[in-house]
Amino acid sequence: MENEKKLYELIGKIPPVDEKAIAEARDRQAYLAKPPGSLGTLEDISVKIAGITGKAVGNDVTKQCIAVMSADNGVVEEGVASAPQSVTLSQTINFTRRYTGVSSMAKYFGIDLLVTDVGVAMEIPKELYTDSMLTEDGRIPVKIVNRRIANGTRNLAKEPAMTREQAVEAMLIGFEAADAAKRSGAQLFGIGEMGIGNTTTSSALLSALTGAKAEDLVGRGGGLNDEGLSKKVKIVKDAVNMYCMSDPIDKLANIGGFDICAMVGAFLGAAVNRMPVVIDGFISIVAACYARELNPRVVDYMFASHKSYEIGYTIAMDRLGLRPMFDLSMRLGEGSGCPIAFKIIETAVATMNIMKTLEEAAIDADYLEEIRRDNLF
């Protein structure tokens, strides 16, 4: 109960965005040396960043961090995953070696990767662990942060995946990760995951939240065959009807995963810390939806990266009222959409910071007045 009280206190600390800075940013965009609206979504991004930071010009988002939450899911016993559970262990270790999709991108771009074991089922060698989310000199560690709650969740097809207390604990770990990123100097935050079976937990959570039918949102995950897909649809459908779930935390506890719970906390924690935060793919956006259920203000701090290949992604995106920045037919997870989105956000901020206004560039812009007056952009 004490942890839950702490959680709700933290959730309530999300500040409103700065409407004055948003207005100033919109006004500046309208008078930069270009036709109004011609940079499209880049303009929207720069305006949203202004609301988060409280200033229209002079923002810096070049210091970046991605949190990867790793955990296993007991539901894999039901044959709903194409990969063996051992892959969660292998990839969690490989994140620190920079061998994976997201970690190779992070290495190339110089992005910090905060890898946390929230509940990996198999044993990770002790020498790869650290107990702190920051090194002594305030950096993000290269090792795996040990916050293991249990050796994976229980099988949601037979019993609740975790207790409510465990769900709250995982969410608080997410808050801790966001705090650590902020203290490390991160100006832009992304959230990813690793956990075999977590497209099943995500699908069940999304169905429970939106009422969407399992058939309309369950995909093949990492490459499930037809038999496995049929079984996955049935398990999602049955799980949603099996438990009495009165609030978002109950849903997360009964049919979620430690990884998703931690991601929910990380999204909320980013907003508390006034950090812009990037959503990755399907699992990440389901966590974002649950963060919104707990405090709608969190969406003002979120940016959607890519349009996931998973069929349930659009349902989740509509729930948030956001739009993805790009569509590259990606479906990896891990947070792999975040580095690409970071560079788009950097571009948006750079145009706001470096471009001159029409007046500053000595451009006669009388011809644009009709466009502004009649809101034609």
Side-chain angles (χ1 to χ4, degrees):
M1 287 296 292
E2 190 62 33
N3 272 351
E4 189 163 333
K5 180 182 176 183
K6 178 182 178 182
L7 175 66
Y8 277 110
E9 286 175 352
L10 289 170
I11 291 169
K13 290 183 177 179
I14 297 177
V17 290
D18 191 321
E19 295 295 342
K20 182 181 177 184
I22 288 173
E24 289 174 356
R26 283 191 181 128
D27 187 63
R28 181 171 176 80
Q29 278 289 0
Y31 284 89
L32 287 177
K34 57 176 176 58
S38 59
L39 283 178
T41 300
L42 291 176
E43 298 186 18
D44 299 332
I45 291 170
S46 69
V47 170
K48 190 166 184 174
I49 289 288
I52 294 169
T53 64
K55 56 183 183 180
V57 185
N59 289 306
D60 185 358
V61 292
T62 55
K63 183 76 168 76
Q64 299 155 0
C65 177
I66 301 170
V68 180
M69 303 299 181
S70 293
D72 276 300
N73 302 278
V75 73
V76 297
E77 296 173 3
E78 303 296 323
V80 294
S82 58
Q85 195 170 61
S86 60
V87 173
T88 304
L89 171 68
S90 301
Q91 288 297 77
T92 299
I93 293 171
N94 284 333
F95 289 134
T96 66
R97 296 170 175 166
R98 302 302 190 257
Y99 289 172
T100 74
V102 70
S103 61
S104 60
M105 296 181 208
K107 180 178 180 179
Y108 179 81
F109 287 119
I111 298 168
D112 289 330
L113 207 62
L114 178 56
V115 183
T116 303
D117 172 7
V118 197
V120 176
M122 297 181 180
E123 186 176 349
I124 291 175
K126 291 181 179 178
E127 64 271 17
L128 299 181
Y129 272 137
T130 178
D131 290 328
S132 177
M133 289 196 179
L134 290 174
T135 62
E136 289 184 1
D137 59 353
R139 296 174 182 271
I140 298 295
V142 177
K143 291 189 172 185
I144 300 163
V145 178
N146 185 2
R147 293 293 183 273
R148 185 189 297 226
I149 297 170
N151 296 336
T153 55
R154 296 187 291 269
N155 183 352
L156 64 85
K158 296 177 179 176
E159 58 184 323
M162 67 191 95
T163 65
R164 187 177 177 96
E165 291 75 18
Q166 286 176 323
V168 169
E169 182 182 353
M171 291 169 71
L172 288 172
I173 291 167
F175 271 95
E176 183 188 2
D179 289 346
K182 182 70 172 183
R183 293 201 308 276
S184 75
Q187 300 152 320
L188 193 51
F189 192 40
I191 300 175
E193 41 59 46
M194 181 65 230
I196 298 303
N198 61 10
T199 57
T200 300
T201 56
S202 299
S203 297
L205 285 168
L206 188 59
S207 178
L209 186 64
T210 64
K213 294 180 181 178
E215 294 87 348
D216 295 333
L217 52 78
V218 172
R220 295 183 184 272
L224 207 57
N225 62 25
D226 289 346
E227 181 184 353
L229 179 62
S230 178
K231 188 178 295 185
K232 184 175 176 181
V233 168
K234 184 179 187 305
I235 286 171
V236 167
K237 189 183 298 183
D238 290 347
V240 172
N241 296 323
M242 191 182 304
Y243 305 105
C244 178
M245 298 180 285
S246 60
D247 68 0
I249 297 179
D250 268 354
K251 292 181 176 73
L252 288 163
N254 283 302
I255 57 176
F258 294 136
D259 51 352
I260 297 172
C261 290
M263 294 164 79
V264 172
F267 278 116
L268 292 163
V272 169
N273 281 289
R274 295 197 77 103
M275 276 193 302
V277 60
V278 172
I279 301 164
D280 180 33
F282 181 59
I283 294 99
S284 187
I285 200 169
V286 170
C289 285
Y290 272 79
R292 174 189 176 273
E293 290 301 301
L294 291 163
N295 190 332
R297 277 185 181 172
V298 71
V299 181
D300 293 334
Y301 294 83
M302 292 175 173
F303 295 84
S305 60
H306 67 102
K307 183 180 185 296
S308 172
Y309 198 77
E310 282 288 311
I311 62 172
Y313 176 87
T314 302
I315 294 171
M317 186 58 65
D318 289 345
R319 184 84 178 186
L320 288 178
L322 298 176
R323 287 190 305 160
M325 296 182 194
F326 53 93
D327 181 359
L328 298 175
S329 298
M330 294 173 65
R331 54 185 183 276
L332 175 61
E334 300 182 1
S336 54
C338 296
I340 305 166
F342 287 172
K343 299 307 142 184
I344 294 173
I345 295 171
E346 277 189 52
T347 302
V349 169
T351 58
M352 181 67 98
N353 288 343
I354 299 172
M355 279 186 78
K356 300 298 183 183
T357 64
L358 294 160
E359 183 179 1
E360 290 165 345
I363 297 173
D364 181 357
D366 289 346
Y367 75 99
L368 294 173
E369 286 308 313
E370 181 183 1
I371 296 174
R372 291 195 193 90
R373 185 182 66 247
D374 297 335
N375 196 30
L376 300 176
F377 44 97

